[in-house]
Amino acid sequence: YNVPSDQKIFFSCLDFWFAIDIVLNFRTGYCSFGTVVMDPKKIASNYMSTWFVIDLLGTLPFEMLISGASSRKSIKLVKYFKI
């Protein structure tokens, strides 16, 4: 199965978008018990213990590592759940 070039571009854009999302999540504050937390170490700790693994799995270009077309499509669905 050959992936059309426009689909490759789309998947590359998604990978890039999710990589930017990871970087921004390390710099975005969060609410804890009604207080906004802006301490970078606390933000990183909170992000690493919540969404980081899911974001990382959604960002990795699995389609380049897996040869089966059906596997490629099913793994890309992980990214759509994040959206």
Side-chain angles (χ1 to χ4, degrees):
Y1 176 74
N2 291 327
V3 179
S5 63
D6 57 341
Q7 202 171 29
K8 286 182 185 178
I9 292 169
F10 176 71
F11 287 155
S12 295
C13 288
L14 275 180
D15 292 336
F16 181 72
W17 180 264
F18 282 101
I20 295 295
D21 180 55
I22 288 175
V23 171
L24 290 176
N25 275 312
F26 276 108
R27 302 298 304 161
T28 303
Y30 66 96
C31 288
S32 176
F33 302 108
T35 304
V36 177
V37 177
M38 294 300 294
D39 179 37
K41 289 181 182 179
K42 290 182 180 178
I43 293 170
S45 175
N46 181 61
Y47 180 51
M48 294 290 285
S49 66
T50 56
W51 285 97
F52 178 73
V53 173
I54 296 168
D55 287 347
L56 184 63
L57 290 174
T59 303
L60 295 175
F62 287 110
E63 68 276 359
M64 293 180 186
L65 304 173
I66 296 175
S67 61
S70 62
S71 298
R72 237 189 312 251
K73 289 180 181 179
S74 63
I75 288 175
K76 279 299 179 183
L77 288 175
V78 171
K79 293 184 179 188
Y80 296 119
F81 288 120
K82 174 69 178 172
I83 295 174

